Amino acid sequence: MSILRAEHLEKTFGGTAAGSARVAALDRVDLAVEQGEFVAITGASGSGKSTLLHLLGGIARPTSGSVLLEGVDLASLDDDALARLRRRRIGFVFQRYNLLSELSLVENVALPLVLDGVANARAEEAAHAALKAVGLAHRAGHRPDELSGGEQQRGAIARALVTEPAIVLADEPTGALDSANSRRVIELLMQLVAERRQTVILVTHDPGIAALAGRTIRMRDGQIESDQRNVSSGTASAATPPLGGSPAGAVSQ
Amino acid sequence: MNLSRLLLRQWRKRPGRALATVASVAVAVAALVATWVAADASRAGYQRLAETVEGVPSIDISARGGGRFEATSLPRLADIAGVRAVVPLFFRPTLLRVGEKRVRELAVGVDVAALVDAGLLTLTAGRACEEANEIVLDSALAEGLEKQIDDEVIMFARRSIRRMTVVGIADSESLKWFAEGGGVVVGIQPLEQMSNAFGLVDRVRVVVAPGGSRPALLEAIAKRLPAALLAEVPAGRAGMAEDILHSANLGLDFVTGLTIAMAFFLVGNAMLMNVTERRRSFALLRVLGATGRQVQRFVTVEAAVLGLVGSVVGAALGLAAAGPISVGISNTLQAPAAAFTVHPLVIPVAVALGTLVAIAAAWWPAREAARVEPLEGLADAPPPAEGVSRRFLLLAIVMWAVAAVVMTLVVWERLPPRAAVPAGILMMLAFVATTPFVLPSLCAACARLIPERWRIERTLAVEQIIRQPIRTALTTGVLVVAVSNAIGLGHAIRDNVDDVRGWYTRLMRADWMLTHAGMVAGGLTPAGPQARLAEEEVRAVPGVQRVEGIGVATGRVAGGACVVVARDIPADRPLPIDPVGTTEAELRQALERGEVAAGTLLARRVGIKPGDEVDVEVFGRTTRVKIAALVVDYTSGGASLLLRRDAASRLFGLEAADIVLVTAKPGRAAELRDSLRQIAESHGMLLRSFENVQAFINGIVSGVVNSLWAILGLGFVVGSLGVANTVTMSVLEKTRTLGLLRAIGMTSGQVTRLVLLESLLLGVAGGLIGTVGGIFTALLIQFASQPLLGHPIRASLRPSVVAINLIAAVAVTALAAWIPARRAIGLDLLESIAAD
């Protein structure tokens, strides 16, 4: 059974004010993601890939169509219920890290648990474990502005994982990083998929990174242009491949 | 870690933002405390002033239909709440013989020792009367008669001549409230005995306890009295104190209400900016799963904490400022010094109110924060432009409508004048609520005056203002209220003062005035038999050009107490009073026919109008007279009936002049002083120069006016601080934008100009809107005060008041923007670009 399913998703912007143009960002998109899949969404700017990610993550609502996460229709949830679902079942990783600069790294990672009412001690214990998993245990007490970009992004991944979500959504997570840090971040995500059967959906411009995923969805003009599975990579059973270069073994579906 | 720690970290990371918010609350609460204490000081000052002028607030009980009544017919009254003392009074005219001098005086029978013990009569020397042959003399009379303690005087009474010993000298001021101008105080039983009227009293005066309500007490007393007795506010005492207090209190209530409104704008704006600046943080929290309610609670808790801290700081600052303000107001009012006291509720109420206002003001920003789209957390775009919703417009229209209806009902006298206060405040709030709809256009229009070479700064400044019309309206709201307030009340105060000055300048046209102590101030005697002699003696003094006598008597008209003023009205001089709705010539003719003119306030109180024929009772004699016209008259609070002396003599037997106005021949005023003083002293009267009287009345008027100005000034200072604070917060909020502008090449001069221009545009626009509001407020006050005064006051546009306020508004905003502008150019580029 699919862990995440999108049916006839449509999202349009504008068109409400007099004279403003109506722009279709997504047009009848259907998608199903299985647990443990590592899915890369690619496409040119404005193709709708980020919009699709936002709809899948419940941080924007579709104009029509539905998104089902573990069988729950996100459209059926009110604002607060959707927020609770986000913090428990979805982990987000953003291009700009989006760590709160006022909090230490461990406090940032613990934040989703704190929002969920988990006691401080337990939340920080879980946060330390998540930081250890991403190799940042020694940086737990530092503030975001004391960390490198790569460390901040790994911290953001730890925050995304701390609630043991059903799915991790990453929007251009390497977009602001150099190649070495990009490699570490992607390795980390692939490791999650491999070791924890963590479902990851990642938006990227980089075809090299997309090729490392088990499945690549290419968007164009708000529609899925292609949906490919890469046999040798990005699945829960595949080994973590070396980064860089063209992926071998990518086959069309 | 919990969200409170996030709050603490946010404050620590950006202390300026939290401090500015605390400062806004502190300024607002300080203003509230200072205004409250200053208003209390003003009220106490007015009260003391009124008591000094008119005596202790009291209620008279007399026989219905006039004459004396049995003291035993009076029920027990001392146990009624609000009663300070119950004082039976017995009056009788008498003749004193001192050596060769014979002086007609009014003897007052009263329990002297009880009054002294109660602090209601002050003896400057000696003691209270204990024996039948002892008297206490008014200090002015004693001085005139050259009598001291233990001296003897002969007192002539009906069928008897008594040799009396002076045992005490009474302070003239402390006699005013009960002696009715009389200067000889005797024990009540000996005087009754001398008059062969055992057990009878002329009236019983009930003294109102401090803080007691005279109307409430009047009602309570009336319920206990037998049908033959009547309780009423003493004629001549009802007016000035209560009217000054009433209208001044309305002014104070209005100013206090506006201070609260300003505080709300100030705090509301601070909260709005505080939250808007962190929109991105809230969006991120929402993405991470914070519910709207959690975000709302976060903002509300922050508002409560900052509000509480700000309120405590503000209360302390307000208290520190209140002492000097209070003393200053007492000095301005020339009121007897009173200990500076703070109502025990001031601090707890101010702290609670400040915190509640902070929480209430944060409600809308908190709601907006809770509704932040999570997607915004991912976007680098600035928050979307504010729109002014139709609901907001509807709210403004409803506020206008409610305020207008209430105000109309006040003008039509369907609602009490006090209702004008909340209506006025609501109208001011509605006015500010309307500003978002006009402010952008007004700012854009004002921006056209900015030189073309600053077009970049001009464009950006206007864009900022237009982008957030509600925020801009809140920022300018403080200024709009301050300017409207100052211009509106400034005009109203000046117009009222001119009205009062015009009145007494017409009324008191002379160089010298002979009167009983307190006469000018409204203390009124029955017929003063001695004044006729004085009048004749004055006429004989060389250098005197004209003598005008004024006789005064208390009376009743149409069921209400009044003061009958009989005066000489020379044909060759303008009328001493200002007619309303008729010409001076017509009024003069009517007076010559024996008709009377009624004060506008009296007419309003008892419901009489020109052309009415009414029964007037004076000295127990009831006569029917015709009301010729209404006149502007503040004598005894406007409760006056004016007629010619010959008519008064014919109608009421009112012969004597209690006030003698003396006009000297040109250039000879000064040389009359000694002669007039001798005459005055020999008749137990006081001599006052016109300058003296003018200074006395000016002092009262200026005191009231200055105290209101002081509180208005306080409001303006608060407005200035508020604008300074909001501009500072605005710059803090725009740190990233300003950093970006600097990064792409904007010079420090351009950034300074941008901040200054934005602030100046707000200042000019706020000043202009405030001016319109102020003129409107002035007209409104005139309308609303008409029922209080009974006559319209001429309203006039005073360019100086408008110009001063407009210049002050612009100057305040320019100064307010200076420090933030300097801060803006000192920003670290990298830090400011990274700011979120």
Side-chain angles (χ1 to χ4, degrees):
Chain A
M1 184 187 167
S2 303
I3 194 166
L4 182 69
R5 178 180 291 277
E7 294 173 350
H8 313 304
L9 267 190
E10 285 191 15
K11 180 69 177 177
T12 54
F13 294 106
T16 50
S20 69
R22 191 177 158 86
V23 177
L26 279 187
D27 185 13
R28 296 188 306 280
V29 170
D30 292 295
L31 177 68
V33 177
E34 306 299 325
Q35 183 170 5
E37 267 197 300
F38 184 4
V39 181
I41 302 175
T42 66
S45 290
S47 61
K49 54 187 187 299
S50 288
T51 304
L52 176 59
L53 195 77
H54 297 156
L55 297 183
L56 295 178
I59 53 177
R61 290 187 184 266
T63 308
S64 67
S66 59
V67 175
L68 288 91
L69 178 65
E70 297 178 315
V72 177
D73 184 356
L74 303 194
S76 68
L77 304 177
D78 66 16
D79 204 42
D80 283 354
L82 191 58
R84 279 192 288 274
L85 180 130
R86 270 201 308 269
R87 73 186 174 213
R88 289 172 186 164
R89 304 307 297 152
I90 305 172
F92 288 96
V93 182
F94 306 108
Q95 181 179 356
R96 293 290 301 269
Y97 332 128
N98 282 327
L99 297 173
L100 289 169
S101 57
E102 299 88 353
L103 301 179
S104 67
L105 187 58
V106 70
E107 288 168 343
N108 263 291
V109 174
L111 190 55
L113 293 173
V114 170
L115 288 172
D116 208 29
V118 175
N120 285 348
R122 271 188 59 202
E124 294 205 0
E125 190 183 328
H128 275 292
L131 283 173
K132 191 176 175 188
V134 299
L136 283 177
H138 63 295
R139 306 288 263 168
H142 287 76
R143 295 282 167 82
D145 52 10
E146 295 165 347
L147 304 173
S148 72
E151 286 174 323
Q152 286 190 59
Q153 194 59 299
R154 281 192 283 146
I157 291 172
R159 182 178 65 187
L161 294 175
V162 76
T163 55
E164 299 180 359
I167 188 165
V168 171
L169 302 176
D171 191 2
E172 301 271 11
T174 59
L177 299 177
D178 58 27
S179 59
N181 275 308
S182 294
R183 168 196 282 264
R184 292 200 67 177
V185 166
I186 294 301
E187 281 174 356
L188 189 57
L189 291 173
M190 292 182 72
Q191 197 179 337
L192 285 174
V193 175
E195 294 174 2
R196 300 188 184 184
R197 281 184 57 79
Q198 177 68 59
T199 310
V200 175
I201 301 179
L202 171 145
V203 164
T204 181
H205 273 105
D206 188 337
I209 291 173
L212 294 173
R215 181 178 169 192
T216 303
I217 294 171
R218 184 168 180 78
M219 301 287 298
R220 183 170 177 171
D221 296 335
Q223 293 182 318
I224 294 178
E225 186 183 47
S226 66
D227 187 349
Q228 297 177 321
R229 289 191 188 280
N230 308 323
V231 174
S232 60
S233 60
T235 62
S237 58
T240 307
L243 290 175
S246 294
V251 293
S252 295
Q253 199 172 27
Chain B
M1 206 275 300
N2 51 33
L3 288 184
S4 58
R5 198 184 298 178
L6 174 61
L7 200 55
L8 286 172
R9 295 287 168 75
Q10 287 189 341
W11 292 344
R12 200 180 298 163
K13 184 167 169 63
R14 301 287 295 277
R17 182 172 56 201
L19 283 176
T21 309
V22 167
S24 294
V25 179
V27 166
V29 171
L32 188 63
V33 170
T35 307
W36 188 340
V37 174
D40 273 356
S42 295
R43 286 191 185 97
Y46 298 156
Q47 188 71 46
R48 290 196 299 278
L49 190 68
E51 284 183 12
T52 305
V53 169
E54 293 189 5
V56 182
S58 55
I59 289 167
D60 260 4
I61 297 168
S62 54
R64 204 179 286 274
R68 291 177 177 145
F69 63 96
E70 292 279 351
T72 51
S73 64
L74 190 73
R76 181 171 165 73
L77 300 174
D79 59 324
I80 298 176
V83 171
R84 182 176 170 189
V86 179
V87 184
L89 293 166
F90 187 93
F91 297 96
R92 74 154 295 120
T94 186
L95 189 68
L96 295 183
R97 200 183 76 197
V98 181
E100 295 304 310
K101 282 185 186 172
R102 285 169 184 258
V103 177
R104 288 189 183 277
E105 257 302 335
L106 183 70
V108 187
V110 69
D111 185 343
V112 187
L115 283 190
V116 172
D117 289 346
L120 291 166
L121 176 63
T122 307
L123 298 182
T124 55
R127 56 172 175 80
C129 321
E130 289 167 0
E131 304 294 333
N133 63 342
E134 292 177 346
I135 59 169
V136 169
L137 288 182
D138 168 61
S139 56
L141 181 65
E143 193 181 337
L145 297 175
E146 296 174 349
K147 286 290 165 193
Q148 295 171 346
I149 303 292
D150 294 336
D151 285 353
E152 287 193 342
V153 294
I154 306 294
M155 190 169 154
F156 292 87
R158 185 184 292 178
R159 300 189 205 104
S160 65
I161 299 173
R162 288 278 182 95
R163 186 178 294 274
M164 310 292 278
T165 305
V166 178
V167 294
I169 306 292
D171 173 43
S172 294
E173 296 296 321
S174 73
L175 279 172
K176 276 181 193 166
W177 71 272
F178 70 93
E180 304 290 6
V184 178
V185 183
V186 190
I188 189 165
Q189 284 168 352
L191 196 61
E192 285 173 350
Q193 200 174 18
M194 275 189 243
S195 309
N196 202 18
F198 299 102
L200 294 179
V201 291
D202 281 281
R203 70 194 62 153
V204 172
R205 191 150 283 177
V206 180
V207 182
V208 183
S213 159
R214 182 146 64 178
L217 194 55
L218 193 58
E219 200 180 326
I221 291 172
K223 281 182 186 165
R224 290 200 185 178
L225 289 186
L229 297 181
L230 177 71
E232 60 188 343
V233 173
R237 296 182 194 282
M240 201 158 178
E242 292 200 342
D243 285 343
I244 286 181
L245 281 174
H246 196 54
S247 49
N249 277 338
L250 286 186
L252 290 173
D253 288 347
F254 188 63
V255 173
T256 308
L258 285 180
T259 306
I260 293 173
M262 273 207 295
F264 200 85
F265 288 142
L266 207 59
V267 178
N269 208 13
M271 290 297 168
L272 186 61
M273 282 197 270
N274 189 10
V275 172
T276 310
E277 197 191 347
R278 287 175 295 164
R279 198 175 172 83
R280 205 176 144 85
S281 288
F282 293 131
L284 187 60
L285 283 177
R286 296 279 285 129
V287 170
L288 294 177
T291 61
R293 206 170 299 159
Q294 280 177 309
V295 173
Q296 191 154 8
R297 201 182 307 140
F298 182 86
V299 175
T300 307
V301 166
E302 180 182 38
V305 174
L306 295 182
L308 184 63
V309 173
S311 297
V312 170
V313 173
L317 290 174
L319 265 187
I325 290 173
S326 182
V327 170
I329 284 175
S330 283
N331 289 342
T332 304
L333 284 170
Q334 300 173 10
F340 166 59
T341 54
V342 176
H343 194 285
L345 282 178
V346 169
I347 298 303
V349 167
V351 170
L353 197 63
T355 310
L356 285 176
V357 164
I359 292 170
W363 178 82
W364 190 68
R367 187 167 151 269
E368 290 299 296
R371 288 180 173 183
V372 167
E373 284 295 322
L375 212 48
E376 277 183 36
L378 311 178
D380 281 335
E386 287 172 356
V388 187
S389 67
R390 283 182 189 169
R391 207 180 294 172
F392 197 76
L393 178 63
L394 191 67
L395 178 72
I397 292 171
V398 168
M399 286 162 78
W400 272 112
V402 171
V405 167
V406 174
M407 206 57 97
T408 307
L409 291 175
V410 170
V411 174
W412 287 351
E413 298 184 42
R414 301 289 170 90
L415 284 175
R418 187 161 285 278
V421 173
I425 292 167
L426 186 64
M427 207 166 262
M428 187 55 74
L429 292 178
F431 192 74
V432 174
T434 317
T435 54
F437 301 96
V438 294
L439 201 64
S441 313
L442 190 59
C443 283
C446 293
R448 290 188 187 159
L449 301 173
I450 297 168
E452 192 59 24
R453 64 178 182 277
W454 294 340
R455 65 184 181 283
I456 301 292
E457 298 92 313
R458 179 184 69 189
T459 307
L460 288 170
V462 172
E463 173 60 25
Q464 281 292 337
I465 291 169
I466 291 174
R467 194 174 168 78
Q468 290 164 325
I470 294 177
R471 166 108 54 88
T472 307
L474 280 171
T475 305
T476 47
V478 177
L479 204 62
V480 166
V481 172
V483 172
S484 294
N485 213 357
I487 290 181
L489 285 179
H491 274 79
I493 289 168
R494 295 277 297 268
D495 289 342
N496 275 285
V497 167
D498 283 357
D499 197 56
V500 173
R501 285 199 175 126
W503 159 73
Y504 79 72
T505 306
R506 286 180 80 126
L507 193 73
M508 304 295 174
R509 51 192 190 187
D511 297 309
W512 298 98
M513 177 187 293
L514 278 73
T515 177
H516 284 283
M519 183 58 72
V520 174
L524 301 169
T525 64
Q530 80 287 9
R532 173 71 73 177
L533 295 172
E535 207 176 343
E536 295 308 319
E537 287 174 29
V538 169
R539 277 205 178 89
V541 173
V544 169
Q545 184 180 52
R546 187 191 299 274
V547 177
E548 292 175 59
I550 302 174
V552 183
T554 55
R556 301 186 59 76
V557 60
C562 70
V563 172
V564 175
V565 179
R567 79 175 277 171
D568 291 321
I569 299 178
D572 60 340
R573 300 195 80 178
L575 280 180
I577 41 170
D578 193 8
V580 177
T582 186
T583 63
E584 204 173 301
E586 283 172 347
L587 177 58
R588 189 183 289 274
Q589 285 172 7
L591 291 173
E592 282 168 4
R593 290 195 299 271
E595 296 176 15
V596 303
T600 49
L601 267 172
L602 176 69
R604 190 181 68 81
R605 281 182 194 155
V606 300
I608 54 177
K609 58 183 186 302
D612 285 356
E613 292 200 355
V614 291
D615 287 336
V616 178
E617 179 205 320
V618 178
F619 302 149
R621 187 199 293 186
T622 300
T623 311
R624 198 158 188 81
V625 298
K626 186 176 179 184
I627 305 295
L630 303 187
V631 292
V632 174
D633 190 10
Y634 291 92
T635 305
S636 304
S640 59
L641 279 179
L642 181 112
L643 71 170
R644 289 172 58 97
R645 284 185 80 188
D646 51 356
S649 169
R650 190 176 71 249
L651 296 170
F652 307 113
L654 179 56
E655 300 283 350
D658 297 283
I659 303 171
V660 179
L661 300 177
V662 184
T663 306
K665 288 176 180 167
R668 300 185 64 180
E671 70 185 63
L672 297 182
R673 180 191 301 268
D674 291 340
S675 311
L676 294 178
R677 175 166 290 159
Q678 276 182 1
I679 295 170
E681 285 175 356
S682 67
H683 292 278
M685 298 176 85
L686 288 179
L687 176 69
R688 286 175 163 178
S689 70
F690 181 66
E691 284 79 13
N692 183 251
V693 174
Q694 198 171 28
F696 178 78
I697 295 177
N698 275 346
I700 295 174
V701 172
S702 302
V704 173
V705 168
N706 289 341
S707 69
L708 279 172
W709 273 122
I711 295 172
L712 273 181
L714 189 67
F716 213 91
V717 170
V718 173
S720 313
L721 289 172
V723 171
N725 205 33
T726 44
V727 171
T728 304
M729 289 190 82
S730 177
V731 169
L732 277 173
E733 188 192 29
K734 286 194 287 254
T735 298
R736 191 158 191 265
T737 308
L738 294 174
L740 278 173
L741 289 171
R742 291 274 286 131
I744 61 172
M746 205 174 217
T747 64
S748 56
Q750 283 178 307
V751 170
T752 307
R753 268 196 298 278
L754 170 61
V755 175
L756 283 176
L757 278 180
E758 188 182 335
S759 189
L760 273 176
L761 282 174
L762 290 181
V764 172
L768 287 174
I769 295 173
T771 301
V772 174
I775 292 168
F776 184 70
T777 306
L779 292 173
L780 215 62
I781 291 172
Q782 304 295 26
F783 272 120
S785 61
Q786 194 170 324
L788 266 180
L789 297 171
H791 67 273
I793 289 183
R794 289 178 196 95
S796 50
L797 182 67
R798 296 167 192 271
S800 59
V801 175
V802 173
I804 288 170
N805 278 284
L806 204 52
I807 290 167
V810 174
V812 158
T813 45
L815 280 173
W818 183 251
I819 293 172
R822 301 304 301 169
R823 183 189 180 277
I825 58 173
L827 290 173
D828 181 280
L829 287 190
L830 286 177
E831 272 183 26
S832 53
I833 291 169
D836 54 17

